[in-house]
Amino acid sequence: MKLSSYAVGAWHQGADDGTLVTDAVYGEPVALVSSQGLDFGAMVRYAREVGGPNLRKYTFHERAAMLRALAQYLQARKEQFYALSYKTGATQYDSWFDIDGGLGTFFSYSSLARRELPNERFLVEDDPLTLSKQGTFLGRHILVPREGVAVHINAFNFPVWGMLEKLAPGLIAGVPAIVKPATQTAYLTEAVFRAMIESGILPEGAIQLICGGIGDLFEHLNEQDSVTFTGSASTGRRLKVHPSLVANAVPFNMEADSLNCAILGQSVEPGDLEFELFVKEVAREMTVKAGQKCTAIRRVIVPKDKLEAVLEALRQELSRVTLGDPRRPGVGMGPLVGAAQRRDVQGVLEQLKAQGCEVAFQGSPELLDGDWEKGGFMAPTLLYSPNPWESGAHDLEPFGPVATLMPYEGLDEAIALARRGKGSLVGSIVSYNRQEARTLFFGCATHHGRMLILNRENAQESTGHGSPLPLLVHGGPGRAGAGEELGGVRGIKHYLQRCAVQADPTTLMALSNEYVRGAAVREDVVHPFRKYFEDLEIGESLLTHRRTVTEADIVNFANLTGDYFYAHVDEIGAKDSIFGKRVAHGYFLISAAAGLFVSPAPGPVLANYGLEHLRFIEPVGIGDTIQARLTVKSKSAKDPKPGERPTGVVTWAVEITNQEGKTVALYDILTLVERKPAVQNSTASA
């Protein structure tokens, strides 16, 4: 078949035959890939002029709902993607990481956005900053979607996850994308992308696809655009300095190959559970995706006195791995993506051997089906570096089922060897000794984007060394590309422009749709707790009646709660306290304030949802009088589950003051408020 690109709202086939892509298992032809004839400038304009405005019409929550619906649509069709994935050389286990992992990222970002982002088209990042003595001049950071296109250039090893993990945060942010998959496995990416378009869930122009070369695409990018790249460090460096990207200061995020390590703690002995965990983790990382993972373990750093034990255990573990057609039951490792990739890995392997590495173990070439010559099969290979400081394993990466064992003497040397990789995506520490783990972590953290500390307590639920998670950053310093992807909300912010705004409190409230202390408020004769979610306005406020705190209040609260702290109930002790007198419990003040502002009868306010940012500022003593002001700070509509009544979360800013007008306490309370019932339209016909 001939793959198609999706550009300017239509499918296009390349004008020439392009590149022939073959099956990784048997070497049989699979697809022709070409982007010849595509108008890359038109694609960029279409993304900016159609895709961007269409996406930005929606809020974070609405875009998150699209992502979830799209993940569900793809999940219902994943078996057809698995069938194609086998052709890339992936076993079912490998495909689970790629296909289900990609869908999981969509689901995760959908939930994250609805949980942590407002139901708005912009993001207010932090609390207001007071820039003047009287508080009439404030500053704040507001993030808005960039008005460009995100170009995603992906590697061959994860044709599904690589696309979806980049799309998820960008689409949530409201930025359209152009996806360019690696040619070798583009047929799987195209199949998933085609299903995304067929679903009709995303607005027009939100995503486009290039199967083949990118031509003059970079020439059309400007300062509002961005580029993400996953692949070899050499290719990434070349693209990063493209004249157009440099001239327009186009953000370029690179996630490159890296020489990741696993360190076995000195305290671990053969027979310990951690020893077994270490061996299994190294073997798994060598064989999952046939070692074609940018996070795979390349350097195995072990105590010198445990070297022989580790070597023997790894030999036994790797000798159990069966190669062959990944569709066959019992096959533990499929081929590399193709014969050309095998030649590349073997070439690096020869260089490593020339630089002091010895072959400690090489698996059997026997296959359960498949073609060794035409396919990309390569047996797992474990190298040993007797002189680790002279080893090429710190500089050369065999992107396949190859790792190098190297000894260390003392934790300082283990740390130094780990840092010789000049920047890695991930490293693992296997130890049950917390002080040892602490020493290794802080010694290695500067040179790693992520560190896994594995032991008997987390092994059951650990996702493993090589699995990036949506909520944690994926990327690393130095050789790893100095990029950063995922990381929860951090990943979304890469596609938003942070703008510092300076204004008076009322203007800042109008901009942010969030009450700012000092802004003008609006009061109504109707108690705010008697109003539906839609009727409440930002800045709507209630000033309560007053209440004088008595000794009986303090004693009764102490008796009720059992809190007999001396500053509240001990007259003599309280005189020596920082207050110089008996004071009311802080939590009594919160309770008393609730009694001042709550409207007790049934109404639209359904439940207390939480309390945040509590600060006690001034003590309240016996005879002091308090008053509360309750103000609508922000609102966020919730997506109702089936059978639930529609609701929204209202955040209220609460300020408690005393008889002198001084602020006693500040905090936010969150309430679940009912939304108005939907109006049923009825029509009658004659």
Side-chain angles (χ1 to χ4, degrees), residues 554-565 568 585 587-588 591:
I554 296 174
V555 172
N556 288 336
F557 192 82
N559 290 334
L560 179 66
T561 63
D563 181 355
Y564 295 105
F565 188 65
H568 307 310
H585 302 72
Y587 295 113
F588 166 77
S591 301

Side-chain angles (χ1 to χ4, degrees), residues 161-475:
W161 179 85
M163 171 174 64
L164 300 186
E165 66 94 9
K166 286 181 169 65
L167 283 178
L171 291 175
I172 292 287
V175 176
I178 296 174
V179 177
K180 194 281 181 209
T183 297
Q184 298 100 311
T185 53
Y187 52 89
L188 178 52
T189 309
E190 192 234 42
V192 177
F193 191 96
R194 191 176 287 274
M196 293 167 69
I197 295 300
E198 288 171 352
S199 74
I201 293 169
L202 294 175
E204 182 184 355
I207 54 174
Q208 298 178 82
L209 176 72
I210 298 172
C211 288
I214 60 172
D216 65 348
L217 177 65
F218 281 12
E219 301 291 339
H220 303 281
L221 302 182
N222 66 27
E223 71 286 345
Q224 286 294 308
D225 305 314
S226 60
V227 177
T228 69
F229 169 82
T230 299
S232 71
S234 58
T235 302
R237 286 192 292 268
R238 178 170 53 82
L239 293 176
K240 190 174 184 177
V241 296
H242 187 283
S244 183
L245 302 191
V246 174
N248 292 291
V250 176
F252 187 95
N253 188 85
M254 182 164 72
E255 188 259 288
D257 44 15
S258 66
L259 294 163
N260 313 293
C261 69
I263 304 172
L264 181 66
Q266 273 187 314
S267 63
V268 181
E269 297 291 339
D272 289 350
L273 185 56
E274 282 69 30
F275 187 90
E276 181 183 343
L277 290 171
F278 181 82
V279 169
K280 289 186 178 298
E281 196 70 22
V282 171
R284 178 164 54 244
E285 288 300 310
M286 287 179 66
T287 55
V288 169
K289 296 288 287 188
Q292 298 169 114
K293 291 167 56 184
C294 52
T295 54
I297 294 170
R298 305 298 180 196
R299 298 175 299 147
V300 186
I301 303 173
V302 301
K304 190 173 184 179
D305 61 339
K306 314 287 190 337
L307 183 69
E308 287 300 324
V310 172
L311 180 55
E312 182 56 32
L314 278 172
R315 282 172 177 154
Q316 291 183 22
E317 192 71 26
L318 292 170
S319 65
R320 300 189 187 104
V321 177
T322 302
L323 277 66
D325 187 332
R327 284 164 286 211
R328 282 286 303 271
V331 169
M333 190 179 92
L336 299 176
V337 73
Q341 179 64 19
R342 179 180 59 206
R343 288 192 293 272
D344 288 345
V345 176
Q346 288 175 332
V348 176
L349 190 59
E350 292 305 314
Q351 293 180 64
L352 288 170
K353 288 160 65 176
Q355 295 185 33
C357 291
E358 304 168 3
V359 176
F361 172 83
Q362 195 158 39
S364 169
E366 294 183 10
L367 299 180
L368 271 179
D369 289 343
D371 190 309
W372 187 278
E373 295 301 322
K374 294 180 181 178
F377 291 98
M378 180 178 178
T381 303
L382 181 66
L383 301 179
Y384 166 56
S385 185
N387 300 307
W389 289 104
E390 300 172 11
S391 175
H394 301 297
D395 302 299
L396 300 170
E397 183 184 28
F399 203 70
V402 181
T404 302
L405 193 62
M406 52 185 69
Y408 73 84
E409 294 188 77
L411 297 183
D412 287 345
E413 185 175 22
I415 291 166
L417 288 171
R419 291 157 68 116
R420 274 279 281 115
K422 299 178 182 178
S424 298
L425 294 170
V426 57
S428 282
I429 298 164
V430 182
S431 173
Y432 196 50
N433 183 310
R434 269 59 185 234
Q435 186 55 51
E436 181 175 69
R438 178 185 171 89
T439 299
L440 289 169
F441 171 79
F442 283 105
C444 296
T446 55
H447 286 61
H448 291 78
R450 175 169 61 90
M451 294 292 295
L452 166 67
I453 300 175
L454 185 64
N455 60 35
R456 67 192 68 181
E457 291 192 8
N458 63 17
Q460 191 82 17
E461 295 184 309
S462 169
T463 51
H465 167 98
S467 300
L469 298 175
L471 298 182
L472 297 177
V473 294
H474 177 51

Side-chain angles (χ1 to χ4, degrees), residues 88-103:
T88 71
T91 64
Q92 186 171 13
Y93 185 67
D94 297 337
S95 297
W96 181 83
F97 280 98
D98 186 28
I99 297 169
D100 291 81
L103 297 178

